[in-house]
């Protein structure tokens, strides 16, 4: 049997008292899609950051096709054929698609080879259905297209192993299909892929094998994800069966928060247009949407971080006037932000 494309042996990494990874072993073969599954905080990103050279492990070793390697930086990782698409993209928004691809790649005689770049971009587009307009600035791309560009960038730099950290979190369901067919196509051509997720249906649909992390340790290995039940995988991931919480009855009272025709300008990210909603005492209001479609702006307005350009907001019947975090807190609103650190 040929040596695996990538092998991690006994990797441990702690941050102070937190053991983010403890004696983790995993390997990926050529042509294989490996799922890395675990709840939030299980250590998935840390493990991949070790593989990509962002952190030095406290213990353990990494082998590429059977040879031990030292990976101290993303440049080392790329030289070893490892590419990573992070949860937050690393793109230059004002530069074009092609410019983003060519940054840092010296062409013949040190000049950037634009024609060669265009040819390669078209080739990758044909091979895997990852088409992009080379001249568009990144700021004009949808989130899904930016992700496509990150994948193409890794292929451009010669990645033979591609790591994707929760790539579907930012995609609409229809875009997920496109991503999966591109990943299958890359694997069919011999690339190794590590797909990080905590969504069991995705892991079962896409991956050939998966490794489950919990509290930094491997708690399960699944050799046939497609024929393993979600509840079995959930047990490996959480340590117990998942019982969906029962929804109690609700007899809502008066509105505690109202938004009336709130609009914002496009500032950083998506603008809000004419958003109205209310939350009544005793009820839980869900807001559904794919990341990048205004949730952040909405949270910023509600928590007083950003003032809207138009519209009104009331908390417990009182009109919010200044939109400062101090004002909304004084009116009784608390916020838990999406980033925990
Ligand atoms: N740079 C860091 N500094 C301190 N603690 C960290 C850092 N990165 C991750 N952690 C902690 O390590 C644990 C694993 O985190 P992470 O690898 O991000 O998990 P996952 O990607 O599975 O959600 C968590 O407890 C997290 O808070
Ligand atoms: Mg993570």
């Amino acid at each position: 049997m040929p040596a695996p494309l990538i092998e991690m042996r006994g990797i441990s990494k702690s941050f102070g008292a937190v053991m983010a990874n403890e004696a983790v072993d995993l390997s990926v073969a050529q042509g294989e899609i490996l799922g890395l599954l675990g709840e939030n905080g299980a250590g998935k990103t840390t493990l991949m950051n070790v593989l990509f050279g962002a952190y030095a492990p406290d213990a353990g070793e990494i082998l590429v096709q059977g040879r031990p390697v030292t990976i101290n930086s993303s440049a080392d990782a790329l030289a070893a054929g490892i590419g990573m698409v992070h949860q937050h993209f690393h793109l230059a928004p004002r530069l074009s698609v092609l410019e983003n691809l060519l940054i840092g790649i010296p062409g013949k005689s040190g000049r950037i080879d634009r024609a060669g770049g265009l040819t390669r971009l078209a080739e990758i587009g044909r091979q895997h259905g990852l088409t992009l307009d080379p001249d568009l600035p990144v700021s004009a791309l949808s989130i899904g297209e930016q992700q496509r560009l990150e994948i193409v960038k890794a292929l451009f730099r010669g990645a033979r192993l591609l790591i994707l950290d929760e790539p579907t979190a930012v995609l609409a369901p229809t875009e997920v299909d496109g991503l999966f067919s591109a990943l299958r196509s890359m694997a069919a051509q011999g690339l190794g892929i590590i797909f990080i997720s905590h969504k069991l249906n995705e892991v079962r649909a896409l991956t050939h094998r998966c490794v489950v992390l919990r509290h930094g340790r491997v708690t399960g290995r699944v050799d046939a994800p497609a024929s393993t039940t979600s509840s079995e995988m959930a047990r490996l991931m959480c340590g117990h069966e998942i019982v969906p919480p029962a929804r109690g009855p609700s007899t809502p009272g008066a509105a505690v928060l109202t938004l009336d025709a709130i609009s914002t300008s496009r500032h950083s990210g998506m603008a809000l247009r004419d958003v109205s909603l209310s939350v009544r005492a005793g009820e839980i209001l869900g807001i559904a949407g794919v990341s990048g479609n205004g949730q952040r702006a909405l949270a910023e307005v509600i928590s007083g971080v950003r003032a809207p350009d138009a519209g009104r907001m009331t908390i417990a019947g009182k009109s919010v006037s200044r939109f400062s975090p101090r004002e909304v807190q004084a009116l009784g609103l608390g916020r838990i932000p999406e980033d925990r650190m």
Side-chain angles (χ1 to χ4, degrees):
M1 226 170 76
L5 185 56
I6 297 287
E7 193 174 354
M8 301 181 86
R9 288 189 188 158
I11 299 290
S12 294
K13 171 72 192 168
S14 53
F15 298 104
V18 177
M19 265 296 222
N21 294 147
E22 197 175 341
V24 175
D25 296 329
L26 69 76
S27 68
V28 190
Q30 282 190 14
E32 184 176 47
I33 305 178
L34 179 79
L36 183 57
L37 191 63
E39 291 186 295
N40 269 330
K44 307 179 296 294
T45 297
T46 300
L47 186 67
M48 292 302 110
N49 276 333
V50 166
L51 185 52
F52 197 60
Y55 302 132
D58 303 331
E61 58 173 351
I62 298 172
L63 295 89
V64 175
Q65 293 187 307
R67 279 177 302 110
V69 292
T70 307
I71 300 177
N72 287 325
S73 65
S74 56
D76 289 352
L78 287 165
I82 300 168
M84 181 157 174
V85 177
H86 293 87
Q87 281 173 291
H88 301 286
F89 302 145
H90 297 179
L91 297 168
R94 294 196 199 182
L95 299 186
S96 71
V97 164
L98 186 65
E99 286 162 345
N100 268 275
L101 289 176
L102 296 177
I103 292 172
I105 300 182
K108 294 183 202 108
S109 72
R111 296 254 322 276
I112 287 183
D113 178 7
R114 197 184 141 83
L118 282 172
T119 308
R120 183 93 182 87
L121 176 62
E123 220 171 72
I124 292 174
R126 265 198 312 279
Q127 277 180 338
H128 307 300
L130 295 167
T131 48
L132 285 164
D133 178 342
D135 297 319
L136 275 186
V138 163
S139 57
L141 302 182
S142 71
I143 301 285
E145 289 165 333
Q146 292 181 31
Q147 181 181 74
R148 200 178 300 164
L149 176 54
E150 285 283 23
I151 295 172
V152 172
K153 211 169 100 182
L155 298 179
F156 235 75
R157 284 159 174 65
R160 288 173 298 150
L161 174 84
L162 184 64
I163 303 163
L164 297 115
D165 196 350
E166 308 228 12
T168 61
V170 296
L171 299 182
T174 50
E175 293 175 307
V176 171
D177 295 340
L179 172 68
F180 282 14
S181 68
L183 297 180
R184 288 190 185 105
S185 155
M186 288 183 250
Q189 293 196 5
L191 254 82
I193 291 170
I194 300 181
F195 175 82
I196 303 184
S197 182
H198 54 246
K199 298 181 189 162
L200 300 167
N201 55 341
E202 291 179 351
V203 169
R204 293 177 65 226
L206 181 70
T207 68
H208 299 115
R209 209 159 50 83
C210 84
V211 169
V212 186
L213 287 183
R214 173 161 31 108
H215 301 318
R217 284 188 294 270
V218 176
T219 51
R221 295 179 192 275
V222 180
D223 286 332
S227 53
T228 305
T229 63
S230 291
S231 69
E232 170 63 12
M233 287 208 222
R235 200 182 49 73
L236 295 171
M237 200 164 92
C238 315
H240 51 80
E241 295 294 328
I242 305 291
V243 183
R247 179 176 23 228
S250 163
T251 44
V256 288
L257 173 73
T258 63
L259 269 59
D260 184 16
I262 294 280
S263 296
T264 62
S265 56
R266 194 186 172 97
H267 175 62
S268 59
M270 186 62 66
L272 300 174
R273 273 203 309 271
D274 202 17
V275 175
S276 299
L277 58 84
S278 74
V279 187
R280 297 167 298 174
E283 75 179 354
I284 299 172
L285 178 77
I287 294 176
V290 174
S291 176
N293 284 275
Q295 293 92 324
R296 173 163 307 162
L298 183 61
E300 285 178 357
V301 168
I302 293 176
S303 56
V305 173
R306 178 213 286 229
D309 294 303
R312 265 169 35 89
M313 177 166 117
T314 63
I315 297 173
K318 296 208 178 59
S319 189
V320 176
S321 55
R322 289 197 315 277
F323 284 90
S324 68
R326 182 185 294 227
E327 181 188 21
V328 302
Q329 268 168 38
L331 292 172
L333 187 136
R335 177 191 187 192
I336 298 171
E338 62 180 331
D339 290 321
R340 294 152 295 160
M341 291 190 298

